[in-house]
Amino acid sequence: MRSGNWWAGSPGQHRGENYWKFQEEFADFQESKHCIAVVNGTVAIEAALLALGVGLGDEVIVSDYTFVASASAVVATNAVPIFCDIRPDTLVMDVKKVEELITDRTKAIVPVHLGGNPVEMDKLVEIADQYELAIVEDCAHAQGSRFKGKRVGNWGDAGTFSFQASKVLTSGEGGAIICNDDDLADTIYSIIDCGRMKNQYSYAHFVYGTNYRMSEFLAALLRTQLSKFPDQHIRRNEHARYFADKLNEIKGLRTMKPTPGTEELGWYVFPIVFEPEKFNELTKIAFYKKLNRNGIPTDDCYPPLHSLQCFKDINLRKGIDYSMANWGGHKSDDSNFPIVSDIYSRSVEFPQYMLLSEKEKLVKVVDFIASLKE
Ligand SMILES: Cc1ncc(COP(=O)(O)O)c(C=O)c1O
């Protein structure tokens, strides 16, 4: 605020410094070559898809268990999202089910690392290569997640992040796209900065582009947050392992299983799945309300995308044909998405900040949940 620089300027003429430094620092942290900071995680997905050539008439396969933005960003490109069911243990996209959803209109896949838990990216990349599909990893929950030696966001063509208020790294709102290809980074930059090109005259607009640039002020906030992040990330990972070990001792309850090959996890949320018959037939809502009344911050998980009203009524965008989608009307019935529908009916989640509290507090939560069985 004291600098008076509210605008980052352009690559050839910096007005502020935080926007440019944050991009470098976040790219370093995520171990990628490029980072382009934007206003939020939703437009980050949209810009990455647009830069990869996704548009009218294309289909994009998206995990069914996620926040609406993973799919609404696809809708914003005029493409059609196609929903993929999840694995019951890891709660992320079931890569084995992706192939059966591919048609001659499929252009891209958006795997979502739910709660920071990586999708099996090695297997997904093989499928994408075979069918020549682009991958945009939705890493909104996955700052710091590492799978088989590589930080997430680097497996696909691009990875997108959110810095919205509830996230592990936040500036209230904000987002970023990482990638390792120089041309793709330039294209993304043009899309988010009015069609400008790096180091060119700023009133020259070369391609279609809009304004999704992050503000200098948000970037300044994020730089401070990022400097604290690595210690918090280590603590969250250690406490998550401890919490999971204790919770999994309770019969009839299990925690989200980290995908085999996961070395670090962003832990944006910590989901648990319970068997109502082992908990006096408690409904999921009754379950988390009991926890809330005892001062334990717990919430509902995301309703599966296929069940959202906007994907039951198919009039999302004028002029777009959604009739080939695997949702809409009766196609949105839960029976067509059996795993996610079952999991959603009996899962709740803890927020990431709980994993920063003392272990004694986590033990009290475990004891309280165990007492619900009596
Ligand atoms: C999985 C997922 N993707 C994308 C987004 C969109 O991020 P934003 O709220 O910054 O637009 C979110 C936001 O919570 C999210 O949870």
Side-chain angles (χ1 to χ4, degrees):
M1 286 174 78
R2 272 195 297 271
S3 78
N5 291 326
W6 290 94
W7 188 48
S10 59
Q13 204 184 1
H14 293 191
R15 296 279 173 83
E17 62 172 54
N18 290 292
Y19 180 75
W20 311 101
K21 290 240 167 84
F22 172 69
Q23 292 185 149
E24 278 170 28
E25 289 162 3
F26 192 63
D28 277 353
F29 178 73
Q30 284 298 140
E31 299 169 9
S32 65
K33 194 164 176 197
H34 301 283
C35 167
I36 300 108
V38 292
V39 283
N40 60 55
T42 309
V43 300
I45 305 170
E46 181 192 328
L49 289 170
L50 287 174
L52 287 160
V54 171
L56 185 66
D58 295 331
E59 291 178 0
V60 178
I61 299 170
V62 183
S63 174
D64 196 37
Y65 207 22
T66 177
F67 181 60
V68 66
S70 313
S72 63
V74 174
V75 174
T77 69
N78 290 329
V80 178
I82 302 292
F83 302 142
C84 183
D85 210 340
I86 59 165
R87 285 179 55 124
D89 51 354
T90 60
L91 312 185
V92 293
M93 171 182 262
D94 187 344
V95 171
K96 284 202 199 79
K97 295 195 173 134
V98 168
E99 230 168 330
E100 67 203 41
L101 298 172
I102 296 174
T103 70
D104 55 7
R105 290 170 62 173
T106 309
K107 185 87 184 214
I109 309 172
V110 177
V112 182
H113 307 304
L114 185 96
N117 201 17
V119 172
E120 290 173 289
M121 289 309 299
D122 48 347
K123 294 186 183 150
L124 194 66
V125 167
E126 268 177 36
I127 297 172
D129 285 349
Q130 189 185 338
Y131 292 90
E132 296 183 11
L133 305 175
I135 297 182
V136 173
E137 294 174 65
D138 182 346
C139 310
H141 299 182
Q143 285 89 341
S145 290
R146 188 188 296 283
F147 176 67
K148 297 194 175 173
K150 228 194 256 192
R151 283 250 148 97
V152 297
N154 294 299
W155 286 88
D157 296 278
T160 62
F161 293 82
S162 165
F163 307 123
Q164 174 268 340
S166 61
K167 302 299 185 298
V168 288
L169 180 65
T170 183
S171 46
E173 299 282 4
I177 304 145
I178 60 168
C179 69
N180 291 291
D181 181 276
D182 298 346
D183 291 341
L184 181 64
D186 286 348
T187 308
I188 294 171
Y189 183 78
S190 291
I191 288 171
I192 67 106
D193 192 10
C194 314
R196 292 186 171 113
M197 278 170 78
K198 278 191 182 162
N199 305 327
Q200 299 283 345
Y201 176 52
S202 72
Y203 283 139
H205 305 274
F206 295 89
V207 290
Y208 165 72
T210 181
N211 178 7
Y212 288 159
R213 288 184 314 263
M214 176 183 278
S215 80
E216 174 69 3
F217 184 66
L218 292 193
L221 293 177
L222 280 166
R223 289 186 71 201
T224 327
Q225 298 290 337
L226 186 57
S227 67
K228 298 183 210 155
F229 184 75
D231 288 344
Q232 295 176 349
H233 178 62
I234 291 168
R235 187 175 168 98
R236 262 191 219 99
N237 273 269
E238 193 202 320
H239 284 198
R241 272 192 296 272
Y242 178 82
F243 196 32
D245 286 349
K246 299 254 175 247
L247 283 168
N248 285 318
E249 283 170 12
I250 303 174
K251 292 229 161 29
L253 184 145
R254 63 186 169 83
T255 60
M256 175 179 78
K257 180 184 167 192
T259 300
T262 301
E263 290 145 6
E264 294 168 66
L265 222 146
W267 287 117
Y268 165 58
V269 284
F270 187 101
I272 57 173
V273 185
F274 70 101
E275 292 170 41
E277 57 280 16
K278 305 256 172 67
F279 283 85
N280 301 312
E281 298 296 343
L282 275 179
T283 62
K284 168 250 277 286
I285 295 174
F287 187 96
Y288 73 72
K289 289 213 163 139
K290 273 185 187 283
L291 270 72
N292 287 172
R293 275 197 291 274
N294 277 273
I296 301 168
T298 329
D299 204 356
D300 195 3
C301 294
Y302 298 116
L305 295 181
H306 75 265
S307 70
L308 301 179
Q309 199 58 47
C310 59
F311 294 115
K312 284 186 182 162
D313 303 336
I314 60 170
N315 302 318
L316 296 171
R317 290 213 123 181
K318 200 172 163 185
I320 308 292
D321 177 11
Y322 297 108
S323 63
M324 298 301 284
N326 66 343
W327 45 267
H330 68 87
K331 285 192 272 180
S332 286
D333 290 350
D334 283 350
S335 55
N336 294 325
F337 302 89
I339 307 293
V340 68
S341 304
D342 170 50
I343 293 290
Y344 175 64
S345 71
R346 52 197 186 86
S347 56
V348 300
E349 62 188 29
F350 299 109
Q352 48 91 5
Y353 60 83
M354 243 177 81
L355 299 173
L356 295 176
S357 54
E358 299 303 323
K359 283 186 178 165
E360 295 73 52
K361 281 200 177 162
L362 298 177
V363 171
K364 282 191 183 146
V365 174
V366 176
D367 290 345
F368 181 74
I369 293 176
S371 77
L372 297 178
K373 295 183 66 150
E374 285 153 14

